[in-house]
Amino acid sequence: MMDLQRTANAANFRGDIRTTHADFQVDEIPDFEPSGEGEHVCVKIRKDGQNTEWTGRQLADIAGIARRDVSYAGLKDRHAITTQWYSVWLPGKEAPDWQPQLPESIQIIEQVRHNRKLRIGTLKGNRFKLVIRNCEGDKTQLESCLAAIRKDGVPNYFGVQRFGHDQQNIVRATSWFEGHSKPKASKQRGMYLSAARSLIYNHCLSQRVAQGQWSSAVDGDVFKLDGTNSCFYEPLNDTLIQRVTELDLHPTGPLWGAGELVSQGEVAALESSMTEVFPVLCAGLEKHGLKQERRSLRVMVGELEHQWLSDDCLELSFSLPPGSYATSVLQELGEFRDATELPTET
């Protein structure tokens, strides 16, 4: 995995994360209001150490329906305690008694009828509560870093989980693009395309961070309106600079695909150079039907708070919009050992 650049305000803290599932908690912030009636049963679930897909299969099996008739708004970490909504298509049927047929690690919190199927992205974001143990480092520097994050956000990197264990999603994408193999299913196809896109974007963003230009307007930038998917290019002027400063607009980077880059000047030069850095991935994404899109280079971190549970145990809480990663916040704070990745004794 490439070393991603950190900002000038980054801290050099160290510690351990995910020592227990309770040390990494994620609560979904939904973007829908259940109607109270309809063909779908929306179920709010709290999961301890279970992934989203596996839980969805359990609901489908209990309801006696196809897996495709159970949906959710977003994937959640497995090595965590997470809360999220599912929708189960049960037209004309009563909802089963879920809880006795589920493991103790899956708890039903609420259920209500709804007239629509939940789709990916039907959420305002996620709220995180993280506990970092065995902390070492300069607490004053950490405070300064947290203050900078509250003001400017963090680089909006894709998380390492996007790339699979040992970057296998990139390895398989490369093999596919070079004609040595093919994905076995559409889900794998989507994973490999997303991983390739994410790697290119991360590299481009890392270059902008190294230049100190990830959160400021640069002539040639394509801008995204805060809270929307609306992007546009306009020659740099004082109004644009002010709107970026006020967090109304954000500079963007490329999600690679076919078509011309909208960016101009030095920004376009940097982005165009990705075809030389990642020739196989860029060509493969273009060949397999993806179009050029944009992603904000920075993400604002909401409700960021911290407290010391003990002298070497830090609790962080914050919220992020959909598609952003808690690991992007942690990266700014320092280097942390993930207990789920440490070798176990046999």
Side-chain angles (χ1 to χ4, degrees):
M1 190 68 185
M2 71 174 68
D3 289 328
L4 300 176
Q5 293 290 322
R6 303 196 304 149
T7 74
N9 295 311
N12 294 305
F13 238 65
R14 295 175 299 281
D16 298 328
I17 62 172
R18 299 188 207 259
T19 304
T20 69
H21 290 158
D23 285 353
F24 202 102
Q25 298 185 36
V26 188
D27 294 318
E28 194 171 77
I29 307 171
D31 193 21
F32 76 101
E33 195 67 42
S35 63
E37 58 183 13
E39 296 185 341
H40 301 272
V41 175
C42 284
V43 185
K44 187 178 182 180
I45 287 179
R46 183 176 172 89
K47 315 190 306 297
D48 184 342
Q50 302 293 355
N51 71 33
T52 301
E53 279 286 346
W54 186 86
T55 302
R57 288 197 296 272
Q58 307 316 301
L59 296 178
D61 290 346
I62 292 170
I65 60 176
R67 171 63 190 87
R68 64 177 177 273
D69 293 328
V70 176
S71 61
Y72 47 81
L75 293 169
K76 298 290 179 287
D77 294 88
R78 175 187 174 189
H79 300 290
I81 294 178
T82 61
T83 303
Q84 70 179 120
W85 284 91
Y86 290 79
S87 69
V88 185
W89 189 43
L90 293 171
K93 300 179 183 178
E94 291 294 322
D97 188 4
W98 311 97
Q99 197 62 69
Q101 303 177 69
L102 289 168
E104 291 184 3
S105 57
I106 300 176
Q107 297 291 319
I108 304 296
I109 298 175
E110 182 182 349
Q111 73 173 28
V112 60
R113 284 278 174 175
H114 192 45
N115 54 9
R116 292 183 181 179
K117 174 181 181 178
L118 282 186
R119 300 193 181 277
I120 293 292
T122 315
L123 69 164
K124 293 179 181 177
N126 294 289
R127 189 171 289 110
F128 297 85
K129 181 181 286 186
L130 313 183
V131 175
I132 305 173
R133 302 184 186 274
N134 304 317
C135 291
E136 298 177 359
D138 185 335
K139 292 184 179 180
T140 301
Q141 183 194 48
L142 179 73
E143 294 281 352
S144 297
C145 179
L146 291 170
I149 291 173
R150 291 187 186 98
K151 177 178 177 290
D152 298 323
V154 296
N156 196 19
Y157 289 120
F158 285 104
V160 293
Q161 56 266 52
R162 194 86 168 189
F163 307 106
H165 183 64
D166 288 337
Q167 275 200 298
Q168 282 302 302
N169 289 346
I170 296 296
V171 172
R172 289 166 183 158
T174 302
S175 176
W176 173 27
F177 294 166
E178 290 179 336
H180 303 310
S181 63
K182 287 185 178 180
K184 295 179 180 179
S186 59
K187 179 184 175 183
Q188 291 176 320
R189 180 181 186 276
M191 286 172 53
Y192 303 158
L193 292 172
S194 293
R197 255 187 161 186
S198 300
L199 188 71
I200 296 167
Y201 166 88
N202 273 6
H203 183 79
C204 205
L205 172 53
S206 187
Q207 296 296 303
R208 290 284 296 259
V209 173
Q211 297 165 0
Q213 297 178 335
W214 64 280
S215 64
S216 58
V218 174
D219 194 18
D221 262 329
V222 178
F223 298 101
K224 175 170 282 193
L225 185 63
D226 185 59
T228 76
N229 289 319
S230 176
C231 295
F232 67 93
Y233 165 74
E234 191 175 308
L236 194 61
N237 55 54
D238 290 343
T239 299
L240 289 176
I241 293 172
Q242 184 65 22
R243 291 180 69 186
V244 170
T245 301
E246 294 175 351
L247 310 178
D248 180 46
L249 296 177
H250 305 288
T252 64
L255 295 175
W256 204 267
E260 295 294 323
L261 288 165
V262 184
S263 54
Q264 302 291 319
E266 63 182 89
V267 176
L270 170 62
E271 295 176 357
S272 296
S273 71
M274 297 301 104
T275 58
E276 300 173 9
V277 181
F278 303 105
V280 173
L281 298 184
C282 287
L285 289 166
E286 294 172 20
K287 176 182 177 182
H288 290 284
L290 276 73
K291 305 298 183 184
Q292 286 282 354
E293 296 179 297
R294 309 294 297 185
R295 174 179 169 91
S296 175
L297 295 180
R298 67 180 177 186
V299 59
M300 304 313 297
V301 182
E303 307 166 292
L304 176 58
E305 297 180 358
H306 73 288
Q307 63 174 325
W308 289 97
L309 303 181
S310 66
D311 187 58
D312 66 348
C313 186
L314 175 67
E315 180 184 271
L316 293 174
S317 60
F318 54 88
S319 60
L320 291 172
S324 297
Y325 293 79
T327 50
S328 295
V329 178
L330 290 175
Q331 175 163 306
E332 281 296 285
L333 301 182
E335 295 185 14
F336 303 99
R337 294 185 302 176
D338 189 329
T340 65
E341 299 174 357
L342 297 176
T344 56
E345 295 182 4
T346 57

